[in-house]
Amino acid sequence: MSAATLDRSWSRTAPGRPTRLGRAGALGRRAWPALILTLPIALLVAALGFGVAAWRTALTNRAIAALQDGRDVAVAPAADGALLLARTQFLTLRGRTEEAEAVIEALERRGDPDRVARARYALANARLRGAFGHLERNDLDPAGPLVTLARQDYRRALQAKPDFWDAKFNLDVASRLIRDFPDFDRKSGDELKAEPKKIWTDIPGQPRGAP
């Protein structure tokens, strides 16, 4: 190696001239204090986020438990899907179908097909129970619309969850009622002469009721 080449090589690494490694080390030393200050803040923010999420989950679980115990709890349309379903089941078991419809609409906007299917199934059961109640009292005129609405809700449940066997079964029950009482589809208001008590022997099952 010539003296000129050695001199040029030495000049690139001579003391006093910072190398790339040296510059990176200097930057790291300057950034370290800022990192020490920022890291605890980031950890605190993350802990607060987890804490808020856990608090909301606890509130949701308590509200669901209260509804399942039969206590009426108001639920906002933006509530968790599980809570909206619990509210729907609470209302339908008590025949409050109009209120349940509003809750189901909020649930449908969340795009949760499984819970929508279960909510529609609960609503359909409530309507079919109401229809059977009218039939057992020989009060046939109000039964027809309830059976028709129940069929619609069972179909909507199956649209959301095609393999929902319970909804298929109860849809068949409602459809048999329509076949046994064709005047349900008419608007003439003629009195039906079929014996209501025969329904229970002609239909292979009853609506299960519980969602």
Side-chain angles (χ1 to χ4, degrees):
M1 180 181 294
S2 66
T5 302
L6 182 60
D7 182 63
R8 286 196 298 272
S9 175
W10 172 257
S11 66
R12 287 196 294 269
T13 59
R17 176 174 292 185
T19 63
R20 292 181 180 177
L21 183 59
R23 288 195 296 271
L27 289 174
R29 286 191 296 272
R30 287 197 296 271
W32 183 248
L35 181 61
I36 292 176
L37 292 175
T38 304
L39 184 59
I41 296 174
L43 292 174
L44 178 61
V45 171
L48 287 173
F50 284 120
V52 170
W55 174 71
R56 288 178 176 172
T57 300
L59 286 180
T60 297
N61 291 339
R62 281 199 293 269
I64 291 174
L67 289 166
Q68 292 175 343
D69 288 342
R71 287 175 281 159
D72 198 350
V73 177
V75 176
D80 182 83
L83 183 52
L84 291 174
L85 176 59
R87 175 67 174 169
T88 301
Q89 293 169 343
F90 173 88
L91 293 171
T92 53
L93 285 173
R94 288 154 182 79
R96 295 160 61 178
T97 54
E98 291 185 3
E99 294 176 72
E101 278 273 17
V103 180
I104 293 174
E105 289 174 2
L107 186 58
E108 287 174 333
R109 289 193 292 269
R110 301 179 70 88
D112 188 340
D114 181 73
R115 289 193 175 110
V116 167
R118 292 162 62 189
R120 283 288 171 192
Y121 173 73
L123 179 59
N125 283 348
R127 285 172 167 158
L128 198 56
R129 285 195 301 271
F132 278 123
H134 286 296
L135 292 171
E136 289 175 339
R137 295 189 298 271
N138 204 22
D139 188 13
L140 303 182
D141 287 343
L146 290 174
V147 173
T148 300
L149 290 172
R151 291 176 71 197
Q152 293 174 358
D153 285 318
Y154 286 132
R155 289 194 179 105
R156 294 176 75 173
L158 288 168
Q159 287 174 353
K161 188 178 180 181
D163 60 346
F164 198 168
W165 190 90
D166 286 347
K168 291 179 183 179
F169 181 90
N170 284 6
L171 174 61
D172 183 64
V173 172
S175 298
R176 285 173 181 265
L177 282 175
I178 295 293
R179 290 195 296 270
D180 291 342
F181 294 90
D183 284 353
F184 279 172
D185 284 336
R186 301 175 187 170
K187 297 182 179 179
S188 61
D190 293 338
E191 182 179 357
L192 303 179
K193 297 181 180 180
E195 175 59 41
K197 293 182 180 178
K198 288 183 61 180
I199 299 169
W200 301 106
T201 58
D202 292 342
I203 296 175
Q206 303 176 17
R208 303 189 176 193

